[in-house]
Amino acid sequence: MQFTMYNLQFTIYNLQCIMTELTQKQMERQDLVDNAIFKLLQNLNPSGKEIDWDIDIIAEIRDSVKAWFEDNDIRTEEEFYPFIEN
């Protein structure tokens, strides 16, 4: 098969379009991480008062854990919490 410049550009465009959504497995990984952090917050709460879901706090903790995993060569950022680069 011979590639022309049009075919090559079209192929690159298609690859970029394909990567605009997370896979089911990647979304499940994100859910697992966020839910585990939320459960940790609930379990460590000494007041017994209900804690509302706060994605900003969860993200702060997630970023710290992610950095620790990366710094200790345990998991890459993408392995820990999959994402789509813009």
Coordinates of all heavy atoms in Angstrom, one line a residue:
M1 N 0.8 -1.2 0.0 CA 0.0 0.0 0.0 C 0.9 1.2 0.0 O 1.8 1.3 0.8 CB -0.9 0.0 1.2 CG -1.8 1.2 1.4 SD -2.8 1.0 2.8 CE -4.0 2.2 2.4
Q2 N 0.6 2.1 -0.9 CA 1.3 3.4 -1.0 C 0.6 4.5 -0.2 O -0.6 4.7 -0.3 CB 1.5 3.8 -2.4 CG 2.3 5.0 -2.6 CD 2.4 5.4 -4.1 OE1 1.7 4.8 -4.9 NE2 3.3 6.3 -4.4
F3 N 1.4 5.2 0.7 CA 0.8 6.3 1.4 C 1.1 7.6 0.7 O 2.3 7.9 0.3 CB 1.5 6.3 2.8 CG 0.9 5.3 3.8 CD1 1.6 4.1 4.0 CD2 -0.3 5.5 4.4 CE1 1.1 3.2 4.9 CE2 -0.8 4.5 5.2 CZ -0.1 3.4 5.5
T4 N 0.1 8.4 0.6 CA 0.3 9.7 0.1 C 0.3 10.6 1.4 O 0.0 10.2 2.5 CB -0.8 10.1 -0.8 OG1 -2.1 10.1 -0.1 CG2 -1.0 9.2 -2.0
M5 N 0.6 11.9 1.2 CA 0.6 12.8 2.3 C -0.8 12.9 2.9 O -1.0 13.0 4.1 CB 1.1 14.2 1.8 CG 1.2 15.2 3.0 SD 2.4 14.6 4.2 CE 3.8 15.5 3.8
Y6 N -1.8 12.9 2.0 CA -3.2 12.9 2.5 C -3.5 11.7 3.4 O -4.0 11.8 4.5 CB -4.2 12.9 1.4 CG -5.6 12.8 1.8 CD1 -6.3 13.8 2.4 CD2 -6.3 11.5 1.7 CE1 -7.6 13.7 2.8 CE2 -7.6 11.4 2.1 CZ -8.2 12.4 2.7 OH -9.5 12.3 3.1
N7 N -3.1 10.5 3.0 CA -3.3 9.3 3.8 C -2.6 9.3 5.1 O -3.1 9.0 6.1 CB -2.9 8.0 3.0 CG -3.8 7.7 1.9 OD1 -4.9 8.1 1.8 ND2 -3.3 6.8 1.0
L8 N -1.4 9.8 5.1 CA -0.6 9.9 6.3 C -1.3 10.9 7.3 O -1.4 10.6 8.5 CB 0.8 10.4 6.0 CG 1.8 10.4 7.2 CD1 1.9 9.0 7.8 CD2 3.2 10.8 6.7
Q9 N -1.7 12.1 6.8 CA -2.3 13.0 7.6 C -3.7 12.5 8.2 O -4.0 12.6 9.4 CB -2.6 14.3 6.9 CG -1.4 15.1 6.6 CD -1.6 16.4 5.8 OE1 -2.6 16.4 5.1 NE2 -0.7 17.3 5.8
F10 N -4.4 11.8 7.4 CA -5.7 11.2 7.8 C -5.4 10.2 8.8 O -6.2 10.1 9.8 CB -6.4 10.6 6.5 CG -7.7 10.0 6.9 CD1 -8.8 10.9 7.1 CD2 -7.9 8.7 6.9 CE1 -10.1 10.3 7.4 CE2 -9.1 8.1 7.2 CZ -10.2 9.0 7.5
T11 N -4.4 9.3 8.7 CA -4.1 8.3 9.6 C -3.7 8.9 11.0 O -4.1 8.5 12.0 CB -2.9 7.4 9.1 OG1 -3.4 6.8 7.9 CG2 -2.6 6.3 10.1
I12 N -2.9 9.9 11.0 CA -2.5 10.6 12.2 C -3.7 11.2 12.9 O -3.9 11.1 14.1 CB -1.4 11.7 11.9 CG1 -0.1 11.0 11.5 CG2 -1.2 12.6 13.1 CD1 1.0 11.9 11.0
Y13 N -4.6 11.9 12.1 CA -5.8 12.5 12.6 C -6.6 11.4 13.3 O -7.1 11.6 14.4 CB -6.6 13.2 11.5 CG -7.9 13.7 12.0 CD1 -8.0 14.8 12.7 CD2 -9.1 13.0 11.7 CE1 -9.2 15.3 13.2 CE2 -10.3 13.4 12.1 CZ -10.4 14.6 12.9 OH -11.6 15.1 13.3
N14 N -6.8 10.2 12.6 CA -7.6 9.1 13.2 C -7.0 8.6 14.5 O -7.7 8.4 15.4 CB -7.7 8.0 12.2 CG -8.7 8.3 11.1 OD1 -9.5 9.2 11.2 ND2 -8.6 7.5 10.0
L15 N -5.7 8.5 14.6 CA -5.0 8.1 15.8 C -5.3 9.1 16.9 O -5.5 8.7 18.1 CB -3.5 7.9 15.6 CG -3.1 6.7 14.8 CD1 -1.6 6.7 14.5 CD2 -3.5 5.4 15.5
Q16 N -5.2 10.4 16.6 CA -5.5 11.4 17.6 C -6.9 11.3 18.1 O -7.2 11.5 19.3 CB -5.2 12.8 17.1 CG -3.7 13.0 16.9 CD -3.4 14.3 16.2 OE1 -4.2 14.9 15.5 NE2 -2.2 14.8 16.3
C17 N -7.9 11.1 17.2 CA -9.3 11.0 17.5 C -9.5 9.8 18.4 O -10.3 9.8 19.3 CB -10.1 10.9 16.3 SG -10.2 12.5 15.4
I18 N -8.9 8.7 18.1 CA -9.0 7.4 18.9 C -8.7 7.7 20.4 O -9.3 7.2 21.3 CB -8.2 6.3 18.3 CG1 -8.8 5.9 16.9 CG2 -8.1 5.1 19.2 CD1 -7.9 4.9 16.2
M19 N -7.7 8.5 20.6 CA -7.1 8.6 22.0 C -7.8 9.8 22.7 O -7.3 10.3 23.7 CB -5.6 8.9 21.9 CG -4.9 7.6 21.4 SD -5.2 6.1 22.4 CE -4.6 6.6 24.0
T20 N -9.0 10.2 22.3 CA -9.7 11.3 23.0 C -10.6 10.7 24.1 O -11.2 11.5 24.9 CB -10.5 12.1 22.1 OG1 -11.5 11.3 21.4 CG2 -9.7 12.8 21.0
E21 N -10.7 9.4 24.3 CA -11.5 8.9 25.4 C -10.7 7.8 26.1 O -9.9 7.1 25.5 CB -12.8 8.3 24.8 CG -13.7 9.3 24.2 CD -15.0 8.7 23.7 OE1 -15.3 7.5 24.1 OE2 -15.8 9.3 23.0
L22 N -11.0 7.6 27.4 CA -10.4 6.6 28.1 C -11.1 5.2 27.8 O -12.3 5.2 27.5 CB -10.5 6.9 29.6 CG -9.8 8.1 30.2 CD1 -10.2 8.3 31.6 CD2 -8.3 7.8 30.1
T23 N -10.3 4.2 28.0 CA -11.0 2.9 27.8 C -11.8 2.5 29.1 O -11.6 3.2 30.1 CB -9.9 1.8 27.6 OG1 -9.1 1.7 28.8 CG2 -9.0 2.1 26.4
Q24 N -12.6 1.5 29.0 CA -13.4 1.1 30.2 C -12.4 0.7 31.3 O -12.7 1.0 32.5 CB -14.3 -0.1 29.8 CG -15.2 -0.6 30.9 CD -16.2 0.5 31.3 OE1 -16.7 1.2 30.5 NE2 -16.5 0.5 32.6
K25 N -11.3 0.0 31.0 CA -10.4 -0.4 32.0 C -9.7 0.8 32.7 O -9.5 0.8 33.9 CB -9.3 -1.3 31.4 CG -8.3 -1.9 32.3 CD -7.4 -2.9 31.6 CE -6.4 -3.4 32.6 NZ -5.5 -4.3 32.0
Q26 N -9.4 1.8 31.9 CA -8.8 3.0 32.4 C -9.8 3.8 33.3 O -9.4 4.3 34.4 CB -8.3 3.9 31.3 CG -7.1 3.4 30.5 CD -6.8 4.2 29.3 OE1 -7.7 4.6 28.6 NE2 -5.5 4.5 29.1
M27 N -11.0 3.8 32.9 CA -12.0 4.5 33.8 C -12.2 3.7 35.1 O -12.4 4.3 36.1 CB -13.4 4.6 33.0 CG -13.3 5.7 31.9 SD -14.9 6.1 31.1 CE -15.1 4.6 30.2
E28 N -12.2 2.4 35.0 CA -12.3 1.6 36.2 C -11.2 1.8 37.1 O -11.3 1.9 38.3 CB -12.4 0.1 35.8 CG -13.8 -0.2 35.2 CD -13.8 -1.6 34.6 OE1 -12.8 -2.4 34.7 OE2 -14.9 -2.0 34.0
R29 N -10.0 2.0 36.6 CA -8.8 2.3 37.4 C -9.0 3.7 38.1 O -8.7 3.8 39.3 CB -7.5 2.3 36.5 CG -6.3 2.7 37.3 CD -5.9 1.7 38.3 NE -4.8 2.2 39.1 CZ -4.3 1.6 40.2 NH1 -4.7 0.5 40.6 NH2 -3.3 2.2 40.8
Q30 N -9.4 4.7 37.4 CA -9.7 6.0 38.0 C -10.7 5.9 39.1 O -10.5 6.4 40.2 CB -10.2 7.0 36.9 CG -9.1 7.5 36.0 CD -9.7 8.6 35.1 OE1 -10.9 8.7 34.9 NE2 -8.8 9.3 34.5
D31 N -11.8 5.2 38.9 CA -12.8 5.0 39.9 C -12.2 4.3 41.1 O -12.5 4.7 42.3 CB -14.0 4.2 39.4 CG -14.9 5.0 38.4 OD1 -14.7 6.2 38.4 OD2 -15.7 4.3 37.7
L32 N -11.4 3.2 40.9 CA -10.8 2.5 42.0 C -10.0 3.4 42.9 O -10.1 3.4 44.1 CB -10.0 1.3 41.4 CG -9.3 0.5 42.5 CD1 -9.6 -1.0 42.3 CD2 -7.8 0.8 42.5
V33 N -9.1 4.2 42.2 CA -8.2 5.1 43.0 C -9.0 6.2 43.7 O -8.8 6.4 44.9 CB -7.2 5.8 42.0 CG1 -6.5 6.9 42.7 CG2 -6.3 4.8 41.4
D34 N -10.0 6.8 43.1 CA -10.8 7.9 43.7 C -11.6 7.3 44.9 O -11.7 7.9 45.9 CB -11.6 8.6 42.7 CG -10.8 9.5 41.7 OD1 -9.7 9.8 42.0 OD2 -11.4 9.8 40.7
N35 N -12.2 6.2 44.6 CA -13.0 5.6 45.7 C -12.2 5.1 46.9 O -12.6 5.2 48.0 CB -13.9 4.4 45.1 CG -15.0 4.9 44.3 OD1 -15.6 5.9 44.6 ND2 -15.3 4.2 43.2
A36 N -11.0 4.6 46.6 CA -10.1 4.2 47.7 C -9.7 5.3 48.6 O -9.7 5.2 49.8 CB -8.9 3.4 47.1
I37 N -9.4 6.5 47.9 CA -9.0 7.7 48.7 C -10.2 8.2 49.5 O -10.1 8.5 50.7 CB -8.5 8.8 47.7 CG1 -7.2 8.3 47.1 CG2 -8.4 10.1 48.4 CD1 -6.7 9.2 46.0
F38 N -11.4 8.2 48.9 CA -12.6 8.6 49.7 C -12.8 7.7 50.9 O -13.1 8.2 52.0 CB -13.8 8.6 48.7 CG -15.0 9.2 49.4 CD1 -15.1 10.5 49.8 CD2 -16.2 8.4 49.5 CE1 -16.3 11.0 50.5 CE2 -17.3 8.8 50.1 CZ -17.4 10.1 50.6
K39 N -12.7 6.4 50.7 CA -12.9 5.5 51.8 C -11.8 5.7 52.9 O -12.1 5.6 54.1 CB -12.9 4.0 51.3 CG -14.1 3.6 50.6 CD -14.1 2.2 50.2 CE -15.4 1.8 49.4 NZ -15.5 0.4 49.1
L40 N -10.6 6.0 52.5 CA -9.5 6.3 53.4 C -9.9 7.5 54.3 O -9.8 7.4 55.5 CB -8.2 6.5 52.7 CG -7.1 7.0 53.6 CD1 -6.6 5.8 54.5 CD2 -5.9 7.4 52.7
L41 N -10.4 8.5 53.6 CA -10.8 9.7 54.4 C -11.9 9.4 55.4 O -11.9 9.8 56.5 CB -11.3 10.8 53.4 CG -10.2 11.4 52.5 CD1 -10.8 12.4 51.5 CD2 -9.2 12.2 53.4
Q42 N -12.9 8.6 54.9 CA -14.0 8.2 55.8 C -13.5 7.4 57.0 O -13.9 7.6 58.1 CB -15.1 7.4 55.0 CG -15.8 8.2 54.0 CD -16.8 7.4 53.2 OE1 -16.4 6.3 52.8 NE2 -18.0 7.9 53.0
N43 N -12.6 6.4 56.7 CA -12.1 5.6 57.8 C -11.2 6.3 58.8 O -11.2 5.9 60.0 CB -11.3 4.4 57.2 CG -12.2 3.4 56.5 OD1 -13.4 3.3 56.8 ND2 -11.6 2.7 55.5
L44 N -10.5 7.4 58.3 CA -9.6 8.1 59.2 C -10.3 9.3 60.0 O -9.8 9.9 60.8 CB -8.5 8.7 58.4 CG -7.5 7.6 57.8 CD1 -6.4 8.3 57.0 CD2 -6.9 6.8 58.9
N45 N -11.6 9.5 59.6 CA -12.4 10.6 60.2 C -12.7 10.3 61.7 O -13.5 9.4 61.9 CB -13.6 10.8 59.4 CG -14.5 11.9 60.0 OD1 -14.1 12.6 60.9 ND2 -15.7 12.0 59.4
P46 N -12.1 11.0 62.6 CA -12.3 10.7 64.0 C -13.7 11.2 64.5 O -14.2 10.7 65.6 CB -11.2 11.4 64.8 CG -10.8 12.6 63.9 CD -11.1 12.1 62.4
S47 N -14.3 12.1 63.8 CA -15.6 12.7 64.3 C -16.8 11.8 64.1 O -17.8 11.9 64.7 CB -15.8 14.0 63.7 OG -16.2 13.9 62.3
G48 N -16.7 10.9 63.1 CA -17.8 10.1 62.8 C -18.8 10.9 61.9 O -19.8 10.3 61.5
K49 N -18.6 12.1 61.7 CA -19.4 13.0 60.9 C -19.3 12.5 59.4 O -18.2 12.2 59.0 CB -18.9 14.4 61.1 CG -19.9 15.5 60.7 CD -19.3 16.8 61.1 CE -19.9 17.9 60.3 NZ -19.3 19.2 60.6
E50 N -20.4 12.5 58.7 CA -20.3 12.1 57.3 C -19.5 13.1 56.5 O -19.6 14.3 56.7 CB -21.7 12.1 56.7 CG -21.8 11.5 55.3 CD -23.2 11.3 54.8 OE1 -24.1 11.1 55.6 OE2 -23.4 11.5 53.6
I51 N -18.6 12.5 55.7 CA -17.8 13.3 54.8 C -18.4 13.3 53.4 O -18.7 12.3 52.8 CB -16.4 12.8 54.7 CG1 -15.7 12.8 56.1 CG2 -15.5 13.5 53.7 CD1 -14.3 12.2 56.1
D52 N -18.6 14.5 52.8 CA -19.1 14.6 51.5 C -18.0 14.3 50.4 O -16.8 14.6 50.7 CB -19.7 16.0 51.2 CG -20.9 16.3 52.0 OD1 -21.7 15.3 52.3 OD2 -21.2 17.5 52.4
W53 N -18.4 13.8 49.3 CA -17.5 13.6 48.2 C -17.0 15.0 47.8 O -17.7 15.9 47.4 CB -18.2 12.9 47.0 CG -17.4 12.6 45.8 CD1 -17.2 13.5 44.8 CD2 -16.6 11.5 45.6 NE1 -16.3 12.9 43.9 CE2 -16.0 11.7 44.3 CE3 -16.4 10.3 46.3 CZ2 -15.1 10.7 43.8 CZ3 -15.6 9.3 45.7 CH2 -14.9 9.6 44.5
D54 N -15.6 15.1 47.8 CA -15.0 16.4 47.3 C -13.9 16.0 46.4 O -12.8 15.7 46.9 CB -14.5 17.2 48.6 CG -14.0 18.5 48.2 OD1 -13.6 18.8 47.0 OD2 -14.0 19.4 49.1
I55 N -14.1 16.1 45.1 CA -13.1 15.7 44.1 C -11.8 16.5 44.2 O -10.7 16.1 43.9 CB -13.6 15.7 42.7 CG1 -12.7 14.9 41.8 CG2 -13.9 17.1 42.2 CD1 -12.6 13.4 42.1
D56 N -11.9 17.8 44.7 CA -10.7 18.6 44.8 C -9.8 18.1 45.9 O -8.6 18.0 45.7 CB -11.1 20.1 45.2 CG -11.8 20.7 44.0 OD1 -11.5 20.4 42.8 OD2 -12.7 21.6 44.2
I57 N -10.3 17.7 47.0 CA -9.5 17.1 48.1 C -9.0 15.7 47.7 O -7.8 15.4 47.9 CB -10.4 16.9 49.4 CG1 -10.8 18.3 49.9 CG2 -9.6 16.1 50.5 CD1 -9.7 19.2 50.3
I58 N -9.9 14.9 47.0 CA -9.4 13.6 46.5 C -8.3 13.8 45.5 O -7.3 13.0 45.6 CB -10.6 12.9 45.9 CG1 -11.6 12.5 47.0 CG2 -10.2 11.6 45.1 CD1 -13.0 12.0 46.5
A59 N -8.4 14.8 44.7 CA -7.3 15.0 43.7 C -6.0 15.4 44.3 O -4.9 15.0 43.9 CB -7.8 16.1 42.7
E60 N -6.1 16.2 45.4 CA -4.9 16.6 46.1 C -4.2 15.4 46.7 O -2.9 15.2 46.6 CB -5.2 17.6 47.2 CG -5.4 19.0 46.8 CD -5.6 19.9 48.0 OE1 -4.9 19.8 48.9 OE2 -6.6 20.7 47.9
I61 N -4.9 14.5 47.3 CA -4.3 13.3 47.9 C -3.8 12.4 46.8 O -2.7 11.8 46.9 CB -5.4 12.6 48.8 CG1 -5.7 13.5 50.0 CG2 -4.9 11.2 49.2 CD1 -7.0 13.1 50.8
R62 N -4.6 12.3 45.7 CA -4.2 11.4 44.6 C -2.9 11.9 44.0 O -2.0 11.1 43.7 CB -5.3 11.5 43.5 CG -5.1 10.6 42.3 CD -6.2 10.7 41.3 NE -6.3 12.0 40.8 CZ -7.5 12.6 40.7 NH1 -8.6 12.1 41.0 NH2 -7.5 13.8 40.1
D63 N -2.7 13.2 43.9 CA -1.5 13.7 43.3 C -0.3 13.4 44.2 O 0.8 13.1 43.7 CB -1.6 15.2 43.1 CG -2.6 15.6 41.9 OD1 -2.9 14.7 41.1 OD2 -3.0 16.7 41.8
S64 N -0.5 13.5 45.5 CA 0.6 13.1 46.4 C 0.9 11.7 46.3 O 2.1 11.3 46.3 CB 0.2 13.5 47.9 OG 0.0 14.9 48.0
V65 N -0.1 10.8 46.3 CA 0.2 9.4 46.2 C 0.9 9.0 44.9 O 1.8 8.3 44.8 CB -1.1 8.6 46.4 CG1 -0.9 7.1 46.1 CG2 -1.7 8.8 47.8
K66 N 0.3 9.7 43.8 CA 0.9 9.4 42.5 C 2.4 9.8 42.5 O 3.2 9.1 42.0 CB 0.1 10.3 41.5 CG 0.7 10.2 40.0 CD -0.2 11.0 39.1 CE -0.2 12.4 39.5 NZ -0.9 13.3 38.7
A67 N 2.7 11.0 43.0 CA 4.1 11.4 43.1 C 5.0 10.4 43.9 O 6.1 10.1 43.5 CB 4.2 12.8 43.7
W68 N 4.5 9.9 45.0 CA 5.2 9.0 45.8 C 5.5 7.7 45.0 O 6.6 7.2 45.0 CB 4.5 8.6 47.1 CG 5.3 7.8 48.0 CD1 6.2 8.2 48.9 CD2 5.2 6.3 48.0 NE1 6.7 7.1 49.5 CE2 6.1 5.9 49.0 CE3 4.5 5.4 47.4 CZ2 6.4 4.6 49.3 CZ3 4.7 4.0 47.7 CH2 5.6 3.7 48.7
F69 N 4.5 7.2 44.3 CA 4.7 6.0 43.4 C 5.7 6.3 42.3 O 6.6 5.4 42.1 CB 3.4 5.6 42.8 CG 2.5 4.7 43.6 CD1 1.1 5.1 43.8 CD2 2.9 3.6 44.2 CE1 0.3 4.3 44.6 CE2 2.1 2.8 45.0 CZ 0.8 3.2 45.2
E70 N 5.7 7.4 41.7 CA 6.6 7.7 40.7 C 8.0 7.9 41.2 O 9.0 7.4 40.7 CB 6.2 9.0 39.9 CG 5.0 8.9 39.1 CD 4.7 10.2 38.4 OE1 4.0 11.0 39.0 OE2 5.1 10.3 37.2
D71 N 8.2 8.6 42.4 CA 9.5 8.8 43.0 C 10.1 7.6 43.4 O 11.4 7.5 43.5 CB 9.3 9.8 44.2 CG 8.9 11.2 43.8 OD1 9.0 11.5 42.6 OD2 8.5 12.0 44.7
N72 N 9.4 6.6 43.8 CA 9.9 5.3 44.2 C 9.9 4.2 43.1 O 10.0 3.0 43.4 CB 9.1 4.8 45.5 CG 9.4 5.7 46.6 OD1 10.5 5.6 47.2 ND2 8.5 6.6 47.0
D73 N 9.7 4.6 41.9 CA 9.7 3.7 40.7 C 8.8 2.5 40.9 O 9.1 1.4 40.5 CB 11.1 3.3 40.4 CG 12.0 4.4 40.0 OD1 11.5 5.3 39.2 OD2 13.2 4.4 40.3
I74 N 7.6 2.8 41.5 CA 6.6 1.7 41.7 C 5.6 1.6 40.5 O 5.4 0.6 39.9 CB 5.8 1.9 43.0 CG1 6.8 1.8 44.2 CG2 4.7 0.9 43.1 CD1 6.3 2.2 45.5
R75 N 5.1 2.8 40.1 CA 4.2 2.9 38.9 C 4.4 4.2 38.3 O 4.7 5.2 38.9 CB 2.7 2.8 39.4 CG 2.3 1.5 40.0 CD 0.9 1.4 40.0 NE 0.4 0.7 38.8 CZ -0.7 0.0 38.8 NH1 -1.5 -0.1 39.8 NH2 -1.1 -0.6 37.7
T76 N 4.1 4.3 37.0 CA 4.2 5.5 36.3 C 2.9 6.3 36.5 O 1.9 5.7 37.0 CB 4.3 5.3 34.7 OG1 3.1 4.7 34.3 CG2 5.5 4.5 34.4
E77 N 2.9 7.6 36.2 CA 1.7 8.4 36.3 C 0.5 7.7 35.6 O -0.6 7.6 36.1 CB 2.0 9.8 35.8 CG 0.8 10.7 35.9 CD 1.1 12.1 35.4 OE1 2.1 12.3 34.7 OE2 0.3 13.0 35.7
E78 N 0.7 7.3 34.4 CA -0.3 6.7 33.5 C -0.8 5.4 34.1 O -2.0 5.1 34.0 CB 0.2 6.5 32.1 CG -0.7 5.9 31.2 CD -2.0 6.7 30.8 OE1 -2.0 7.9 30.9 OE2 -3.0 6.1 30.5
E79 N 0.1 4.6 34.7 CA -0.3 3.4 35.3 C -1.2 3.6 36.5 O -2.1 2.9 36.8 CB 0.9 2.5 35.6 CG 1.6 1.9 34.4 CD 2.9 1.3 34.8 OE1 3.5 1.7 35.8 OE2 3.3 0.4 34.1
F80 N -0.8 4.6 37.3 CA -1.5 4.9 38.6 C -2.8 5.4 38.3 O -3.8 5.0 38.9 CB -0.6 5.8 39.5 CG -1.4 6.2 40.7 CD1 -1.6 5.3 41.7 CD2 -1.9 7.5 40.9 CE1 -2.3 5.6 42.9 CE2 -2.6 7.8 42.0 CZ -2.7 6.9 43.0
Y81 N -2.9 6.5 37.4 CA -4.2 7.2 37.2 C -4.2 7.5 35.7 O -3.7 8.6 35.3 CB -4.3 8.4 38.1 CG -5.7 8.9 38.2 CD1 -6.6 8.3 39.1 CD2 -6.1 10.0 37.4 CE1 -7.9 8.8 39.2 CE2 -7.4 10.5 37.5 CZ -8.3 9.9 38.4 OH -9.6 10.4 38.5
P82 N -4.8 6.7 34.9 CA -4.8 6.9 33.4 C -5.4 8.3 33.1 O -6.4 8.7 33.7 CB -5.6 5.8 32.9 CG -5.6 4.7 33.9 CD -5.5 5.5 35.2
F83 N -4.9 8.9 32.0 CA -5.5 10.2 31.6 C -5.2 10.3 30.1 O -4.5 9.6 29.5 CB -4.8 11.3 32.4 CG -3.3 11.3 32.2 CD1 -2.7 12.1 31.2 CD2 -2.5 10.6 32.9 CE1 -1.4 12.2 31.0 CE2 -1.1 10.6 32.8 CZ -0.6 11.4 31.8
I84 N -5.9 11.3 29.5 CA -5.7 11.7 28.1 C -5.0 13.0 28.1 O -5.4 14.0 28.7 CB -7.1 11.8 27.4 CG1 -7.9 10.5 27.4 CG2 -6.9 12.3 26.0 CD1 -7.3 9.4 26.6
E85 N -3.9 13.1 27.4 CA -3.2 14.3 27.3 C -3.8 15.2 26.2 O -4.2 14.7 25.2 CB -1.7 14.1 26.9 CG -0.9 13.5 28.0 CD 0.6 13.6 27.7 OE1 1.1 14.7 27.3 OE2 1.2 12.5 27.9
N86 N -3.9 16.4 26.5 CA -4.5 17.4 25.5 C -3.4 18.0 24.6 O -2.3 18.1 24.9 CB -5.2 18.5 26.2 CG -6.4 18.0 27.0 OD1 -7.0 17.1 26.6 ND2 -6.7 18.6 28.1

